[in-house]
Amino acid sequence: MGTLNTRQKDRQVRGGLGRLCLLIALSVSVATAQSILRQDSLFSPSMGAYERLLILLPTGYDTSRRYPVVYLLHGLAANPSAWIRYTGIEDYARDFPFIFVMPDAGESWYVNSYTDPGERYQDYLARDVPAFISSRYAADTSHEAVVGYSMGGF
């Protein structure tokens, strides 16, 4: 029971290396089966400023094909990352070939301000964001949907 001979040590090392190689192979396959989360920004003519948004691309995103787009509108006192933190949206993105777009609208209710001409969130969302998405990503503009909660569902 005391010491291992050379052959036993070699077997243990090879077994350990085999398990390590298997672990690496599994982690690589898991990593490639994940959706891709990107933070992006665009200059919005409607807002007169750069605006930030999150983009969740499907597993196996390929620019040679076109994907339906789902715009996810966050609620009051939240931001686009709420969709990532509080929902299983990344799991859905793995299972469905959609581009999920999460624009930031502050606490605007997604409408144009009557008093501040620099806060034209409705125009930003209806014009600027879709134009940006269709120019930058492989978006199928004939298949779009809007989903929201709280303020985003208003």
Side-chain angles (χ1 to χ4, degrees), residues 4-54:
L4 295 174
N5 65 33
T6 305
R7 190 174 295 162
Q8 289 171 320
K9 286 180 186 178
D10 286 344
R11 221 178 281 137
Q12 281 187 339
V13 169
R14 278 185 293 197
L17 286 175
R19 285 191 293 275
L20 178 61
C21 289
L22 179 61
L23 180 62
I24 290 170
L26 288 174
S27 64
V28 168
S29 67
V30 168
T32 59
Q34 302 236 342
S35 52
I36 303 161
L37 180 63
R38 291 185 179 169
Q39 181 171 328
D40 213 333
S41 64
L42 71 138
F43 180 79
S44 167
S46 300
M47 302 289 286
Y50 281 92
E51 299 294 330
R52 159 184 99 85
L53 44 106
L54 293 177

